[in-house]
Amino acid sequence: MGGAYQLRVAATFLLIAGIASIAAAFDPSPLQDFCVAIDDPKLGVFVNGKFCKDPMQAKADDFTFSGLDMAGNTSNAVGSNVTLVNVDRLKGLNTLGISLARIDYAPYGGLNPPHTHPRASEILVVVKGSLYVGFVTSNPPKLFTKTLNVGDVFVFPIGLIHFQLNVANTNAIAFAGLSSQNPGTITIANAVFGSDPAINPDVLTKAFQVDKNVVDYLQKQFWPEN
């Protein structure tokens, strides 16, 4: 009787362990827009992320980046500049799931335009000036906004459209932490009206319910990626 009970307990434990292992198994998060499979490894050199240096060859410079003390050039159409420190600029970030950005905003009206990070949530802190920030949820869309001052922090959930606007008459500066070594950025206006090749105007005319002349005009504009 005792042996049969122990077997049932052991079988139950193994079943639970098996279910837990299946639940814990998952595909690795993408670190780029796509990674097309190939049958012959000789035909490809890309991986989901970066190749790793031999740990014995690593040095302190692999984990160091300098330059975030320098203001970015905001003399552009949107009046802002993003200095992103991701794995392409700081190799030691590889596999760590984080990156950092400095955002500079021109006086009143400097805008980090509506955009998304497909692979990262973002936490932003204002270190100079005042920013009107916000994000929009998935459908049905709901807008969350706040005016931030020095020392204030705001979170933008992964994949949601968000923005920051300088509402002060001085330059503004913010720093943002992102939960991916390569968060990616999709600037909405640029993606919709500035893609290469261009989206068929018929698609945009119907989607935005505007005249085709409006779409033609917008597609001819220069859309900064920021």
Side-chain angles (χ1 to χ4, degrees), residues 1-129:
M1 184 71 174
Y5 174 76
Q6 290 176 342
L7 285 175
R8 286 198 300 271
V9 171
T12 301
F13 175 80
L14 289 174
L15 178 62
I16 293 174
I19 294 174
S21 66
I22 293 173
F26 59 90
D27 289 335
S29 297
L31 298 172
Q32 56 221 20
D33 286 348
F34 51 81
C35 186
V36 179
I38 57 172
D39 295 323
D40 185 353
K42 295 179 181 178
L43 300 177
V45 296
F46 290 97
V47 295
N48 186 30
K50 301 286 187 181
F51 290 105
C52 299
K53 176 186 284 190
D54 182 343
M56 298 302 294
Q57 301 299 318
K59 53 187 184 297
D61 286 346
D62 294 326
F63 304 93
T64 305
F65 176 88
S66 299
L68 287 188
D69 59 321
M70 300 173 61
N73 182 7
T74 60
S75 298
N76 53 56
V78 293
S80 70
N81 184 282
V82 177
T83 304
L84 177 64
V85 184
N86 63 3
V87 69
D88 291 328
R89 305 188 75 182
L90 181 55
K91 302 304 183 184
L93 289 177
N94 194 35
T95 76
L96 298 185
I98 55 172
S99 55
L100 181 68
R102 169 180 172 147
I103 309 105
D104 290 275
Y105 311 82
Y108 198 85
L111 173 70
N112 191 8
H115 62 281
T116 73
H117 300 297
R119 295 179 289 275
S121 295
E122 175 181 346
I123 183 168
L124 178 127
V125 57
V126 178
V127 298
K128 180 180 179 181

